[in-house]
């Protein structure tokens, strides 16, 4: 048996597991991501040809694969939100982003600095990586499929889902600040980078992410639901994979414009939802995106588990 043969078998088992596990572990103190991680950790100990996994040597495809998993999840999260956007309607979200997130970043960075004696740049980078909640692994606590009523959402689930959709993009300025701190560490601490960080990494890139997301969402909302010719209205055809086209378009255009693509994908999904909030096509797109997300999550966690176990596997 070759590695390719085993890979085909593993892909089939992973796809079936992605369909079955969420139902099998429902209501139990166990999550499907944890099961996939453990199964991946077992693979190197089996008498099968498991390929060597090197996320550092293969960092290009690893980066893009994980990137894909996150933007798929962000698209699904945005499509699932029933509540219209608004300052008061999203008040819990703004409190999580404006108060809880900065305080948690500061606490995490201070703990890394005080307990681990890490330099400021490394401590801030750790906080930027750990603080954003992950919509990929939070399916048990986020909102479900789209419905017709904005009142169907539990307040806690809505707050966690909406905040998770935005905080991945808003964590990028913190990463940029950590990199700027690291770049100035060798020449002495300097605040020369702060102006560029505020104008470019924080203001411009966040604004560009929101603007591109709104523009793409508005354009596609018209195309999906209001185009003059029926053949152009994609909502009439019920093809869920169109959500991937919207996701890739928003992410790609925003990154070309040097904005935050993660932010743009979530904003695009929310803007699409608002174009025709009660239309059943949102459920079609959401269900398709959710299935793709589950497949990607299963594959990534199997690979992660195998990589973690290969270090302790006897040669």
């Amino acid at each position: 048996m070759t590695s390719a043969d085993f890979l085909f078998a593993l892909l089939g088992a992973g796809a079936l597991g992605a369909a079955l596990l969420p139902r099998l572990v429902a209501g139990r103190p166990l999550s499907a991501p944890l099961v996939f991680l453990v199964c991946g950790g077992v693979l190197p100990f089996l008498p099968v040809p498991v390929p060597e996994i090197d996320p550092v040597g293969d960092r290009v495809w690893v980066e893009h694969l994980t990137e894909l998993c996150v933007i798929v999840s962000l698209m699904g999260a945005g499509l699932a939100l029933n509540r219209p956007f608004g300052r008061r309607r999203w008040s819990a979200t703004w409190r999580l982003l404006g108060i809880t997130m900065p305080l948690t970043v500061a606490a995490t960075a201070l703990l890394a600095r005080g307990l681990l004696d890490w330099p400021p740049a490394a401590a801030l980078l750790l906080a930027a990586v750990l603080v954003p909640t992950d919509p990929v692994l939070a399916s048990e606590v986020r909102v479900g499929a789209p419905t017709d009523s904005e009142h169907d959402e539990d307040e806690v689930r809505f707050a966690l889902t909406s905040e998770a959709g935005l905080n991945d993009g808003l964590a990028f300025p913190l990463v940029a600040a950590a990199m700027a701190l690291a770049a100035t560490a060798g020449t002495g601490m300097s605040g020369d980078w702060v102006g560029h960080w505020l104008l470019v990494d924080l203001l411009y890139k966040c604004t560009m992410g929101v603007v591109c997301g709104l523009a793409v969402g508005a354009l596609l909302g018209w195309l999906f639901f209001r185009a003059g010719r029926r053949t152009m209205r994609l909502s009439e055809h019920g093809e869920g994979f169109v959500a991937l086209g919207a996701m890739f378009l928003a992410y790609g255009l925003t990154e070309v414009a040097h904005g935050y693509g993660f932010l743009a994908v979530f904003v695009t999904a929310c803007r699409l939802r608002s174009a025709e909030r009660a239309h059943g096509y949102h459920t079609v797109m959401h269900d398709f995106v959710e299935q793709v997300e589950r497949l990607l999550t299963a594959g990534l966690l199997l690979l992660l588990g195998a990589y973690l176990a290969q270090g302790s596997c006897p040669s």
Side-chain angles (χ1 to χ4, degrees):
M1 180 174 62
T2 65
S3 296
D5 296 330
F6 177 68
L7 182 60
F8 281 120
L10 185 62
L11 288 173
L16 292 172
L20 290 172
L21 273 177
R23 296 169 176 82
L24 293 176
V25 302
R28 294 179 173 84
L30 192 66
S31 66
L34 178 60
V35 175
F36 283 120
L37 188 66
V38 172
C39 290
V42 172
L43 289 178
F45 297 93
L46 300 178
V48 291
V50 179
E52 188 74 21
I53 300 172
D54 183 8
V56 177
D58 301 319
R59 61 183 178 276
V60 173
W61 72 262
V62 171
E63 176 186 348
H64 290 313
L65 187 59
T66 52
E67 203 173 30
L68 174 62
C69 193
V70 173
I71 62 176
V72 167
S73 180
L74 291 172
M75 189 72 187
L79 290 172
L81 292 175
N82 300 320
R83 191 176 305 185
F85 179 84
R87 181 175 62 86
R88 292 187 176 180
R89 290 190 179 102
W90 286 46
S91 59
T93 307
W94 308 138
R95 289 195 296 270
L96 286 173
L97 289 171
I99 301 174
T100 306
M101 184 175 173
L103 289 176
T104 310
V105 168
T108 305
L110 288 173
L111 284 172
R113 177 73 173 152
L115 297 180
L116 303 177
D117 197 26
W118 284 13
L124 180 58
L125 181 61
L126 179 69
V129 171
L130 293 182
V131 166
T133 52
D134 194 339
V136 175
L137 303 179
S139 58
E140 286 81 4
V141 295
R142 72 185 188 195
V143 298
T147 64
D148 294 338
S149 174
E150 66 178 89
H151 304 293
D152 288 349
E153 294 168 338
D154 174 81
E155 184 65 27
V156 174
R157 292 181 182 273
F158 168 79
L160 291 175
T161 304
S162 55
E163 193 264 349
L166 291 168
N167 66 19
D168 283 291
L170 296 178
F172 277 109
L174 300 175
V175 175
M179 294 173 63
L181 275 175
T184 61
T187 58
M189 298 301 291
S190 170
D192 295 341
W193 58 272
V194 174
H196 179 272
W197 177 78
L198 284 172
L199 290 175
V200 178
D201 295 308
L202 183 61
L203 182 61
Y204 172 80
K205 292 188 176 183
C206 286
T207 302
M208 189 57 62
V210 173
V211 169
C212 288
L214 289 174
V216 173
L219 175 62
L220 294 181
W222 172 84
L223 181 64
F224 288 3
F225 303 107
R226 297 191 179 91
R229 298 176 57 182
R230 186 177 183 276
T231 53
M232 293 288 290
R233 292 198 298 269
L234 294 175
S235 61
E236 302 287 339
H237 308 293
E239 295 172 330
F241 70 88
V242 171
L244 297 183
M247 175 191 78
F248 286 130
L249 183 63
Y251 185 80
L253 288 178
T254 307
E255 289 293 321
V256 168
H258 303 290
Y260 293 133
F262 284 179
L263 194 57
V265 169
F266 183 74
V267 173
T268 294
C270 293
R271 184 65 182 84
L272 263 179
R273 186 69 200 279
S274 67
E276 193 71 35
R277 191 164 296 280
H279 202 287
Y281 188 49
H282 295 299
T283 302
V284 175
M285 291 192 293
H286 173 269
D287 290 347
F288 181 85
V289 168
E290 186 179 40
Q291 292 167 4
V292 174
E293 176 192 339
R294 282 157 58 185
L295 285 172
L296 288 171
T297 303
L300 280 173
L301 290 175
L302 284 171
L303 290 174
L304 177 61
Y307 167 70
L308 293 174
Q310 279 177 343
S312 59
C313 183
S315 57

